[in-house]
Amino acid sequence: MDSIIIGFSTPNKFNLFSFLIRIVCRSSMSHAYVKYHDDYTGRWVIFQASGLEVNYISEDKFKTLENIVAEFDLPVSDELKLKVVRDSIDRLGTPYGIKHIFGIVIVLIARGFGKKTKNPFADGGATMVCSELAADELIEVGEGKDLDPETAMPIDVYNFLVKLGAKRL
């Protein structure tokens, strides 16, 4: 049995985009990521949608850029971990979903009025945002069927994991 980790963070330095996410979502986090241990290299690797695309970074480098707010350990079989890692690798270079973010703003406005709506700019994974990547991997491991990756914000993924009873590290 192995595991993957879903984590949440904020930048070490002021970042307007992160600040706005935290204000709008009333949250202490603005970023979600997927982390796993690469046994071949002996390193923890973080997959994320940030900057201009889906990328990966070593945990050591990530910690110089981000403050980790929370991490949850999800036990998975070796086969399932391999599937998640392959899926993440296949997404490397996927453009960051700028229009997707505008769609999430519309979803959040609708939520404010007690309405539930789909993201009007969802593109089926042609672009990605961080919480979409994390939610997709939760679905991949069989835990996120009640999450909508195209409307989820980091706080939504976090609250889902808490409700799930996932082990917080």
Side-chain angles (χ1 to χ4, degrees), residues 64-117:
T64 69
L65 304 171
E66 296 279 322
N67 292 313
I68 294 172
V69 175
E71 291 186 323
F72 294 86
D73 182 64
L74 298 169
V76 294
S77 67
D78 291 342
E79 281 180 36
L80 201 47
K81 178 180 175 182
L82 180 59
K83 189 174 181 183
V84 167
V85 171
R86 284 180 174 166
D87 184 57
S88 295
I89 288 171
D90 290 344
R91 293 171 190 243
L92 290 174
T94 300
Y96 190 83
I98 301 298
K99 279 182 21 180
H100 187 107
I101 292 296
F102 289 114
I104 288 176
V105 169
I106 292 168
V107 169
L108 290 172
I109 291 169
R111 282 184 193 175
F113 289 103
K115 305 278 185 187
K116 188 173 182 176
T117 187

Side-chain angles (χ1 to χ4, degrees), residues 6 17-18 23 27-28 46 50 54 59-60 64 76 80 107 109 114 121 123:
I6 304 292
F17 188 58
S18 168
I23 293 297
S27 170
S28 63
I46 292 175
S50 72
V54 174
E59 179 183 46
D60 290 342
T64 69
V76 294
L80 201 47
V107 169
I109 291 169
F121 300 119
D123 57 18

